[in-house]
Amino acid sequence: MHADPQTVLLRDTQKSRSRRLVLDPHAVNVPLDSAPAVFFMRVRLGETGEIFRAPNCRIDMTVRELKEGLELVAGIPFNLQRLQYLDQGVLMDDTTLRFHDVVPGGVISLCIWHYGGWTELVLAAMEGDPSKLSCLGIADNSLQTVNSQQLEGKKQKLWTSPRAFVALFITSHRGLFDAVRYLLENGANCLGRSPLGRTPLHVAAAMGRLDCIGLLLEHGASIHDKDAKGETPIALARRLNRKQSEQRMLLLHWVMKTGATDLSGSALTKAFQRVKSGFASKYRTQTRLPVAALASGR
């Protein structure tokens, strides 16, 4: 006698879930329907073995939402991420964690989009070695791939600009000051944005990279730029409880209002003294612009 098709499907699904619980030793051994409302996942970067903790996950969260959070946690732009869970292929953006039987506390694999030399570029940016970055197409005179050598003029610029931005995004996220400075001095655009609208200043602020915050502002980054969700770097720092990032950005913003262009060392100290001596209070009194307004970009 043949079993009912629905019974077979249910039995196979239960076997699959049980097998995944066994294969993933980090998973919390609870049924999916009993999973907590909010939990964390571990995300392993395949190329380096690094483990990142992705908080605030939900069983009905989409893969896209998870990747949006990972852009801040791992510092890899959304469009370069490829996620996998155990023996499954690449997880599609519009599917949910429930669809893939992902269990709380489990490990998701993160791989970098490898076409066009992106993997090598991302790894070099993570290392923060300017000599390696210089060989990976971040400037017009840098070593390039076989395909990029066919490009000239504007087409070559269109190829190098996004690569320089990705390198700047990652080095800013990791606080690699020397690499950030090298990239800015070689034309990387600090006003560039990830597909989610985030600038290098967003991720530097999210991670509390104070030195890089100053360097980015010195090269024209803006505390008022909003991402796709309407968050400025200051608002993001506040949400993530990065108080020092928030204070540093506000301070440097006020200092730059005095006309200071050098935001390091004694020059910053002198400019800060001018702010303390009256500029900040005058600015607030005349404009009645609270800190909350600065954070929102108004």
Side-chain angles (χ1 to χ4, degrees):
M1 183 175 181
H2 296 291
D4 179 74
Q6 291 186 348
T7 302
V8 173
L9 178 61
L10 177 61
R11 184 177 62 216
D12 290 344
T13 301
Q14 290 173 338
K15 286 182 179 179
S16 175
R17 289 178 177 176
S18 299
R19 186 166 66 89
R20 286 172 183 164
L21 282 171
V22 172
L23 288 174
D24 192 345
H26 299 285
V28 178
N29 192 11
V30 296
L32 285 179
D33 292 337
S34 302
V38 179
F39 52 89
F40 74 92
M41 296 296 300
R42 295 180 177 87
V43 179
R44 183 180 184 276
L45 181 57
E47 285 78 7
T48 66
E50 293 172 292
I51 300 290
F52 301 96
R53 183 184 175 99
N56 302 320
C57 295
R58 310 178 315 278
I59 200 64
D60 290 323
M61 169 187 276
T62 64
V63 172
R64 178 185 175 86
E65 289 178 293
L66 177 58
K67 290 166 68 174
E68 289 175 356
L70 285 175
E71 186 173 270
L72 293 176
V73 173
I76 299 175
F78 171 87
N79 57 317
L80 297 183
Q81 299 177 30
R82 295 295 179 269
L83 302 185
Q84 294 177 291
Y85 184 60
L86 299 180
D87 56 345
Q88 301 183 57
V90 175
L91 308 185
M92 304 306 293
D93 286 354
D94 59 350
T95 58
T96 65
L97 300 189
R98 180 188 295 276
F99 177 83
H100 294 288
D101 296 331
V102 173
V103 290
V107 178
I108 288 180
S109 297
L110 167 61
C111 298
I112 302 163
W113 183 256
H114 61 277
Y115 295 107
W118 285 110
T119 301
E120 292 81 4
L121 178 65
V122 169
L123 292 178
M126 288 178 174
E127 189 174 339
D129 185 345
S131 64
K132 292 184 178 180
L133 288 170
S134 68
C135 298
L136 292 169
I138 55 89
D140 292 343
N141 60 350
S142 62
L143 186 64
Q144 301 160 15
T145 66
V146 174
N147 291 333
S148 69
Q149 290 173 0
Q150 310 301 319
L151 304 176
E152 296 180 357
K154 290 183 178 180
K155 289 184 178 180
Q156 186 180 60
K157 189 67 175 178
L158 289 174
W159 187 80
T160 58
S161 291
R163 297 175 68 81
F165 166 76
V166 167
L168 182 61
F169 192 89
I170 293 170
T171 53
S172 297
H173 177 271
R174 296 202 166 210
L176 301 171
F177 183 85
D178 290 340
V180 170
R181 180 172 57 190
Y182 169 81
L183 290 164
L184 290 170
E185 290 176 350
N186 282 272
N189 183 11
C190 63
L191 296 178
R193 296 171 180 266
S194 75
L196 302 178
R198 291 171 179 150
T199 66
L201 186 58
H202 276 93
V203 290
M207 297 300 292
R209 309 304 190 187
L210 303 184
D211 288 343
C212 290
I213 286 172
L215 194 55
L216 290 165
L217 288 172
E218 191 175 346
H219 281 78
S222 173
I223 65 171
H224 298 307
D225 283 341
K226 295 180 180 179
D227 64 16
K229 294 187 175 181
E231 281 191 308
T232 64
I234 288 181
L236 182 59
R238 180 175 295 128
R239 176 167 67 83
L240 298 177
N241 200 32
R242 296 287 189 181
K243 294 182 179 179
Q244 287 187 315
S245 290
E246 179 184 356
Q247 293 169 357
R248 178 64 61 92
M249 284 185 287
L250 286 170
L251 167 62
L252 295 179
H253 175 77
W254 289 333
V255 165
M256 293 175 71
K257 287 286 188 178
T258 69
T261 56
D262 182 1
L263 301 182
S264 60
S266 59
L268 178 58
T269 301
K270 291 178 181 178
F272 181 43
Q273 291 302 322
R274 290 200 298 273
V275 171
K276 289 179 65 178
S277 65
F279 172 76
S281 59
K282 181 180 178 181
Y283 182 69
R284 287 195 298 268
T285 301
Q286 290 182 350
T287 64
R288 298 187 182 279
L289 186 65
V291 170
L294 279 173
S296 66
R298 294 194 296 269

